Amino acid sequence: MLTAMGIIVVPLGLYWFVRLNTRKLLYLFAVVTPFTAATIIEFKGSLFGMAPAFFVSLLLMGAFFIRCLTGTSRIRICGLQKYCYLGFLFTWLHSLLTLLLPLILVLAGSDYILFNPAFNDQDYSGEIPAYTVTQFIYFTLFMVTSFIVANETEELGIAKRCVSILMKVTIFSIVWGIITYVLSFFGGLYPEWLFNNHPGYSHGFDQRIAILRRISSIAQEPSVYGYFLTIMITMVMVFNVLEFYPLKPATQKTLLFIMIITAILTTSTTAFLGIFIAIVLTLLVALASRRLGRALRYLAAQIGIMAVLFAGVFLTVINRLDLDLAGIVRGINELTVEKLQSESGVERSWSFFHGIQVLIDTYFMGSGFASNRTFDLGSTLLANTGIIGLSLFVVAFVIVILFPALHLVKYRCNDDISKIMAGLVTALITALILMFVSVPDFVNMYFWLILGMLMGVTGIKNNASLLRA
């Protein structure tokens, strides 16, 4: 049975697929990527669900390949993009080969224990868990989708439109999140059947820390929503400092302010770290583009307004409601000082060192793609694909990030292409840093959308440079 989102997304997607309109499918893909906790179809009693972004990505791939076969579209690869593609191709090939590692390790007499909290089970050496093949297929889907996004991002206007769509969906997610957040204080029922209905995921829309409620909106749980928000915070913050406005200037500046407040309401340490990373990266971009003074004044004004707002709300609430102040202080303490000693912190620490132990027990080759899952990407990659796999992954993303970074330093962000490159590259860096800290999965499609747009815009910039030459 189609869900509420499915009733909208499926007919639209199929209509544009039949018309082979890859441009419209790309825009629809940008719309649905933040809805990570939703499904377009449900089967009673089944854990199967298809996220809207997965469905649209399959349609986009199908339409693109049909257009290529019929000659109405072509694969465009500029000089710089081919190095990006080669980096990811080597990463993909190595990941494929690691699926055979369990058999090799059995012959070598290696003994290790796999842990995967996402599946609530353990597998031992000598076995190839079925989900490793499934996860590799997903990984392949992500990469191909990202390459197609890069190929379809042939003009600056397309990239700008996708970014604008992401911002507008972010506004929707904030409004929806705040509405449900306020309703929860009055005992309102959470309408999870709309955007938090994927039967294969564990949903955390009712989470609390001490007496502090957490906001998760259209994501699986608050930390995932905080991860998405901080990626967008970095992008919008850089755009605002560079005076690049896919939305109206007043709307875009207000959006940043509200995003930061909403990220704080997730009470996620991932979000707090992400906001700090966003500020640091924005200042680095401002320094490279000779806008440091403007950036400092802008950020100081944002922080000052938020401080006054929080102080006013806090004092008003204290005077009108009988709050457990000790509970609030205890919750803040759990989020900061006692984070590592909390149940979550202890579990994450144990998981990290277990991943390192798997790496050692498998002679530094890894136990096979997606076989062991920790709570951060670095130790997950090491445990699964070994030192070689982690190195290839890092090199692939360094290649993608390097040209925009060098271009930013050289040309000071004096044109729209450079400005959008700066926003995309800093958003991608934020996502990667947070993944290596607390987000071990590739499943968030907005990550691959941003990666694809960055590779596409890099191609546009490279072609423009060649024309000038």
Side-chain angles (χ1 to χ4, degrees):
M1 181 179 70
L2 291 180
T3 63
M5 279 203 72
I7 291 173
I8 298 173
V9 173
V10 171
L12 276 177
L14 290 175
Y15 173 73
W16 285 323
F17 172 75
V18 170
R19 295 179 64 86
L20 298 180
N21 193 330
T22 51
R23 182 75 55 82
K24 293 293 185 181
L25 286 171
L26 173 60
Y27 294 153
L28 181 61
F29 182 62
V31 170
V32 298
T33 53
F35 292 88
T36 54
T39 181
I40 59 170
I41 189 169
E42 287 180 319
F43 297 100
K44 190 174 182 179
S46 172
L47 293 179
F48 173 79
M50 179 173 283
F54 286 16
F55 173 74
V56 178
S57 69
L58 290 172
L59 296 180
L60 177 61
M61 288 171 57
F64 175 75
F65 288 130
I66 292 173
R67 285 175 61 88
C68 287
L69 290 173
T70 57
T72 54
S73 186
R74 62 186 180 86
I75 298 175
R76 292 177 288 271
I77 303 177
C78 75
L80 290 168
Q81 284 176 325
K82 69 182 179 183
Y83 297 111
C84 299
Y85 294 166
L86 281 173
F88 287 114
L89 177 62
F90 287 132
T91 301
W92 181 86
L93 286 173
H94 181 265
S95 299
L96 175 62
L97 292 174
T98 62
L99 293 177
L100 299 175
L101 281 175
L103 296 178
I104 297 172
L105 291 167
V106 167
L107 297 176
S110 176
D111 186 24
Y112 55 90
I113 297 177
L114 302 177
F115 175 69
N116 197 321
F119 296 97
N120 294 318
D121 59 16
Q122 290 185 336
D123 293 277
Y124 298 86
S125 58
E127 299 179 3
I128 302 180
Y131 56 74
T132 61
V133 177
T134 304
Q135 294 302 306
F136 182 77
I137 293 172
Y138 280 132
F139 182 51
T140 304
L141 168 66
F142 300 152
M143 281 197 170
V144 174
T145 301
S146 197
F147 295 156
I148 293 174
V149 169
N151 198 83
E152 291 298 308
T153 308
E154 56 185 327
E155 301 171 4
L156 177 63
I158 298 173
K160 189 174 181 179
R161 178 72 182 275
C162 287
V163 169
S164 172
I165 289 170
L166 271 177
M167 290 183 182
K168 291 174 181 175
V169 177
T170 303
I171 294 172
F172 172 82
S173 77
I174 290 172
V175 172
W176 176 256
I178 291 176
I179 288 173
T180 55
Y181 185 76
V182 172
L183 286 176
S184 68
F185 282 96
F186 298 96
L189 295 176
Y190 190 90
E192 70 275 4
W193 56 274
L194 273 173
F195 307 122
N196 302 81
N197 54 358
H198 196 299
Y201 295 154
S202 175
H203 298 278
F205 50 79
D206 56 352
Q207 287 186 10
R208 295 188 183 200
I209 292 182
I211 69 166
L212 298 176
R213 296 179 184 272
R214 310 184 69 191
I215 185 171
S216 60
S217 187
I218 59 177
Q220 296 96 313
E221 50 97 12
S223 293
V224 177
Y225 188 47
Y227 171 67
F228 168 68
L229 283 177
T230 50
I231 292 172
M232 295 303 299
I233 285 170
T234 305
M235 185 189 300
V236 176
M237 190 179 291
V238 168
F239 286 163
N240 288 354
V241 168
L242 296 178
E243 297 183 305
F244 178 74
Y245 299 110
L247 301 180
K248 292 181 179 180
T251 302
Q252 191 167 305
K253 291 176 182 179
T254 304
L255 173 60
L256 176 64
F257 179 77
I258 298 174
M259 278 196 299
I260 294 175
I261 293 176
T262 309
I264 293 172
L265 289 177
T266 66
T267 66
S268 166
T269 50
T270 298
F272 299 153
L273 176 60
I275 293 171
F276 174 75
I277 294 169
I279 293 172
V280 171
L281 289 175
T282 301
L283 291 176
L284 288 175
V285 170
L287 180 64
S289 60
R290 297 180 180 177
R291 294 174 172 88
L292 185 58
R294 178 193 300 168
L296 288 172
R297 290 191 297 271
Y298 176 70
L299 292 175
Q302 291 281 320
I303 294 171
I305 293 171
M306 277 188 286
V308 171
L309 179 63
F310 271 111
V313 171
F314 185 71
L315 292 174
T316 301
V317 170
I318 287 178
N319 290 331
R320 293 183 177 273
L321 298 176
D322 184 17
L323 290 182
D324 180 7
L325 294 182
I328 293 176
V329 173
R330 186 168 60 252
I332 294 173
N333 195 47
E334 287 179 13
L335 288 170
T336 53
V337 179
E338 297 179 0
K339 178 63 177 180
L340 292 178
Q341 287 74 42
S342 66
E343 181 180 350
S344 172
V346 171
E347 186 178 20
R348 288 174 180 273
S349 177
W350 178 88
S351 180
F352 172 83
F353 288 108
H354 177 265
I356 301 301
Q357 187 60 51
V358 171
L359 174 69
I360 296 170
D361 291 340
T362 57
Y363 312 109
F364 301 95
M365 295 188 297
S367 57
F369 185 83
S371 57
N372 188 86
R373 182 181 184 272
T374 68
F375 290 95
D376 67 276
L377 184 62
S379 60
T380 293
L381 287 174
L382 281 172
N384 293 337
T385 61
I387 293 176
I388 295 176
L390 176 64
S391 300
L392 288 172
F393 180 90
V394 170
V395 168
F397 278 94
V398 166
I399 293 172
V400 172
I401 291 170
L402 187 59
F403 172 76
L406 292 176
H407 182 86
L408 168 64
V409 173
K410 183 176 180 180
Y411 293 103
R412 312 291 184 187
C413 288
N414 290 323
D415 58 75
D416 283 351
I417 297 180
S418 300
K419 291 175 181 179
I420 202 167
M421 285 172 64
L424 292 172
V425 76
T426 50
L428 186 62
I429 291 173
T430 300
L432 287 168
I433 293 174
L434 293 178
M435 289 169 76
F436 273 84
V437 173
S438 62
V439 183
D441 301 312
F442 298 115
V443 297
N444 299 303
M445 278 294 209
Y446 46 79
F447 173 83
W448 298 99
L449 172 66
I450 291 170
L451 172 62
M453 285 193 295
L454 179 58
M455 290 190 293
V457 174
T458 299
I460 296 171
K461 190 62 184 179
N462 181 76
N463 292 335
S465 300
L466 290 176
L467 288 174
R468 284 198 298 268

Short mmCIF file of all heavy atoms in Angstrom, two decimals, residues 88 227 231 234-235 281 397 400-401 422-435 447-448 450-451 454:
data_model
loop_
_atom_site.label_atom_id
_atom_site.label_comp_id
_atom_site.label_asym_id
_atom_site.label_seq_id
_atom_site.Cartn_x
_atom_site.Cartn_y
_atom_site.Cartn_z
N PHE A 88 36.91 6.86 -6.93
CA PHE A 88 35.77 6.09 -6.40
C PHE A 88 35.69 4.70 -7.03
O PHE A 88 35.24 3.76 -6.39
CB PHE A 88 34.48 6.86 -6.63
CG PHE A 88 34.32 8.03 -5.72
CD1 PHE A 88 34.33 9.32 -6.22
CD2 PHE A 88 34.20 7.85 -4.35
CE1 PHE A 88 34.20 10.41 -5.38
CE2 PHE A 88 34.07 8.93 -3.49
CZ PHE A 88 34.07 10.21 -4.01
N TYR A 227 22.71 15.93 12.21
CA TYR A 227 23.72 15.72 11.17
C TYR A 227 23.30 16.44 9.89
O TYR A 227 24.09 17.19 9.29
CB TYR A 227 23.87 14.23 10.93
CG TYR A 227 24.71 13.82 9.75
CD1 TYR A 227 26.08 14.06 9.72
CD2 TYR A 227 24.14 13.15 8.67
CE1 TYR A 227 26.86 13.67 8.65
CE2 TYR A 227 24.92 12.75 7.59
CZ TYR A 227 26.27 13.01 7.58
OH TYR A 227 27.04 12.61 6.51
N ILE A 231 25.08 20.04 8.20
CA ILE A 231 25.56 20.09 6.81
C ILE A 231 24.97 21.32 6.11
O ILE A 231 25.68 22.08 5.44
CB ILE A 231 25.17 18.80 6.06
CG1 ILE A 231 25.95 17.61 6.61
CG2 ILE A 231 25.45 18.96 4.55
CD1 ILE A 231 25.49 16.28 6.05
N THR A 234 26.41 24.67 7.52
CA THR A 234 27.71 25.02 6.94
C THR A 234 27.54 25.65 5.56
O THR A 234 28.13 26.69 5.26
CB THR A 234 28.59 23.75 6.82
OG1 THR A 234 28.69 23.12 8.08
CG2 THR A 234 29.98 24.11 6.33
N MET A 235 26.73 25.01 4.72
CA MET A 235 26.53 25.51 3.36
C MET A 235 25.93 26.91 3.36
O MET A 235 26.44 27.82 2.69
CB MET A 235 25.61 24.54 2.59
CG MET A 235 25.43 24.89 1.13
SD MET A 235 24.13 23.88 0.34
CE MET A 235 24.79 22.24 0.58
N LEU A 281 35.02 26.34 9.41
CA LEU A 281 35.16 26.29 7.96
C LEU A 281 34.74 27.61 7.31
O LEU A 281 35.36 28.06 6.34
CB LEU A 281 34.31 25.15 7.40
CG LEU A 281 34.81 23.73 7.70
CD1 LEU A 281 33.81 22.69 7.19
CD2 LEU A 281 36.17 23.49 7.07
N PHE A 397 38.03 11.05 -1.70
CA PHE A 397 37.38 12.29 -1.29
C PHE A 397 38.36 13.47 -1.28
O PHE A 397 37.95 14.61 -1.51
CB PHE A 397 36.72 12.12 0.08
CG PHE A 397 35.36 11.48 -0.01
CD1 PHE A 397 35.21 10.10 0.13
CD2 PHE A 397 34.24 12.24 -0.27
CE1 PHE A 397 33.97 9.51 0.02
CE2 PHE A 397 32.99 11.66 -0.39
CZ PHE A 397 32.85 10.29 -0.24
N VAL A 400 38.23 14.84 -4.74
CA VAL A 400 37.02 15.62 -4.99
C VAL A 400 37.11 17.01 -4.36
O VAL A 400 36.66 18.00 -4.94
CB VAL A 400 35.78 14.88 -4.43
CG1 VAL A 400 34.53 15.76 -4.52
CG2 VAL A 400 35.54 13.59 -5.21
N ILE A 401 37.70 17.07 -3.18
CA ILE A 401 37.74 18.33 -2.41
C ILE A 401 38.90 19.22 -2.83
O ILE A 401 38.81 20.45 -2.74
CB ILE A 401 37.82 18.00 -0.91
CG1 ILE A 401 36.49 17.38 -0.43
CG2 ILE A 401 38.16 19.24 -0.08
CD1 ILE A 401 36.55 16.82 0.97
N ALA A 422 32.40 26.62 -2.97
CA ALA A 422 32.81 26.79 -1.57
C ALA A 422 31.76 26.24 -0.62
O ALA A 422 32.08 25.56 0.37
CB ALA A 422 33.07 28.28 -1.28
N GLY A 423 30.47 26.53 -0.91
CA GLY A 423 29.41 26.03 -0.05
C GLY A 423 29.31 24.51 -0.07
O GLY A 423 29.14 23.87 0.97
N LEU A 424 29.44 23.92 -1.27
CA LEU A 424 29.32 22.47 -1.40
C LEU A 424 30.51 21.76 -0.77
O LEU A 424 30.35 20.73 -0.11
CB LEU A 424 29.19 22.09 -2.88
CG LEU A 424 27.89 22.51 -3.57
CD1 LEU A 424 27.97 22.26 -5.07
CD2 LEU A 424 26.69 21.77 -2.98
N VAL A 425 31.71 22.28 -0.99
CA VAL A 425 32.89 21.59 -0.46
C VAL A 425 32.94 21.66 1.06
O VAL A 425 33.31 20.69 1.73
CB VAL A 425 34.19 22.14 -1.10
CG1 VAL A 425 34.58 23.49 -0.52
CG2 VAL A 425 35.33 21.15 -0.92
N THR A 426 32.54 22.79 1.65
CA THR A 426 32.53 22.88 3.12
C THR A 426 31.42 22.01 3.71
O THR A 426 31.60 21.41 4.78
CB THR A 426 32.37 24.33 3.57
OG1 THR A 426 31.25 24.94 2.91
CG2 THR A 426 33.62 25.14 3.29
N ALA A 427 30.29 21.92 3.01
CA ALA A 427 29.21 21.02 3.47
C ALA A 427 29.69 19.58 3.45
O ALA A 427 29.42 18.80 4.38
CB ALA A 427 27.97 21.19 2.60
N LEU A 428 30.40 19.19 2.39
CA LEU A 428 30.91 17.83 2.28
C LEU A 428 31.97 17.54 3.35
O LEU A 428 31.98 16.45 3.95
CB LEU A 428 31.51 17.61 0.89
CG LEU A 428 31.96 16.18 0.56
CD1 LEU A 428 30.79 15.22 0.59
CD2 LEU A 428 32.65 16.13 -0.81
N ILE A 429 32.83 18.51 3.61
CA ILE A 429 33.85 18.33 4.66
C ILE A 429 33.18 18.15 6.02
O ILE A 429 33.57 17.29 6.82
CB ILE A 429 34.82 19.53 4.68
CG1 ILE A 429 35.70 19.52 3.43
CG2 ILE A 429 35.70 19.49 5.92
CD1 ILE A 429 36.57 20.75 3.28
N THR A 430 32.16 18.96 6.30
CA THR A 430 31.42 18.83 7.56
C THR A 430 30.83 17.43 7.68
O THR A 430 30.94 16.78 8.73
CB THR A 430 30.30 19.87 7.64
OG1 THR A 430 30.86 21.18 7.58
CG2 THR A 430 29.50 19.72 8.94
N ALA A 431 30.19 16.96 6.60
CA ALA A 431 29.58 15.63 6.62
C ALA A 431 30.62 14.56 6.88
O ALA A 431 30.40 13.64 7.70
CB ALA A 431 28.88 15.37 5.29
N LEU A 432 31.77 14.65 6.24
CA LEU A 432 32.81 13.63 6.40
C LEU A 432 33.39 13.64 7.81
O LEU A 432 33.60 12.57 8.41
CB LEU A 432 33.92 13.86 5.37
CG LEU A 432 33.56 13.50 3.92
CD1 LEU A 432 34.62 14.03 2.97
CD2 LEU A 432 33.43 11.99 3.78
N ILE A 433 33.65 14.82 8.36
CA ILE A 433 34.18 14.89 9.73
C ILE A 433 33.21 14.26 10.71
O ILE A 433 33.59 13.46 11.59
CB ILE A 433 34.49 16.35 10.12
CG1 ILE A 433 35.65 16.90 9.28
CG2 ILE A 433 34.85 16.44 11.61
CD1 ILE A 433 35.93 18.37 9.51
N LEU A 434 31.93 14.59 10.57
CA LEU A 434 30.92 14.03 11.48
C LEU A 434 30.77 12.53 11.28
O LEU A 434 30.53 11.80 12.25
CB LEU A 434 29.58 14.73 11.26
CG LEU A 434 29.53 16.20 11.67
CD1 LEU A 434 28.17 16.80 11.37
CD2 LEU A 434 29.86 16.37 13.16
N MET A 435 30.93 12.06 10.05
CA MET A 435 30.87 10.62 9.80
C MET A 435 32.01 9.90 10.50
O MET A 435 31.84 8.81 11.06
CB MET A 435 30.89 10.34 8.30
CG MET A 435 29.60 10.72 7.58
SD MET A 435 29.72 10.67 5.78
CE MET A 435 29.67 8.91 5.48
N PHE A 447 23.84 13.30 1.22
CA PHE A 447 25.31 13.27 1.16
C PHE A 447 25.78 13.02 -0.27
O PHE A 447 26.66 13.71 -0.79
CB PHE A 447 25.84 12.19 2.10
CG PHE A 447 27.32 11.95 2.00
CD1 PHE A 447 28.21 12.76 2.68
CD2 PHE A 447 27.82 10.92 1.21
CE1 PHE A 447 29.59 12.54 2.58
CE2 PHE A 447 29.19 10.70 1.10
CZ PHE A 447 30.07 11.51 1.80
N TRP A 448 25.17 12.03 -0.93
CA TRP A 448 25.57 11.69 -2.30
C TRP A 448 25.08 12.74 -3.30
O TRP A 448 25.73 12.95 -4.34
CB TRP A 448 25.03 10.31 -2.65
CG TRP A 448 25.59 9.26 -1.74
CD1 TRP A 448 25.00 8.72 -0.64
CD2 TRP A 448 26.90 8.67 -1.82
NE1 TRP A 448 25.86 7.82 -0.03
CE2 TRP A 448 27.02 7.77 -0.74
CE3 TRP A 448 27.97 8.81 -2.71
CZ2 TRP A 448 28.17 7.02 -0.52
CZ3 TRP A 448 29.11 8.06 -2.50
CH2 TRP A 448 29.21 7.17 -1.41
N ILE A 450 25.00 16.01 -2.62
CA ILE A 450 25.98 17.09 -2.48
C ILE A 450 27.29 16.71 -3.16
O ILE A 450 27.91 17.52 -3.86
CB ILE A 450 26.20 17.42 -0.99
CG1 ILE A 450 24.94 18.08 -0.42
CG2 ILE A 450 27.41 18.34 -0.80
CD1 ILE A 450 24.97 18.24 1.09
N LEU A 451 27.73 15.44 -2.98
CA LEU A 451 28.94 14.97 -3.65
C LEU A 451 28.80 15.07 -5.16
O LEU A 451 29.70 15.55 -5.85
CB LEU A 451 29.22 13.52 -3.23
CG LEU A 451 30.35 12.81 -3.98
CD1 LEU A 451 31.68 13.50 -3.74
CD2 LEU A 451 30.43 11.34 -3.57
N LEU A 454 28.89 18.68 -6.35
CA LEU A 454 30.25 19.24 -6.28
C LEU A 454 31.08 18.77 -7.47
O LEU A 454 31.79 19.57 -8.09
CB LEU A 454 30.91 18.83 -4.96
CG LEU A 454 32.35 19.31 -4.76
CD1 LEU A 454 32.44 20.83 -4.84
CD2 LEU A 454 32.91 18.80 -3.44
#
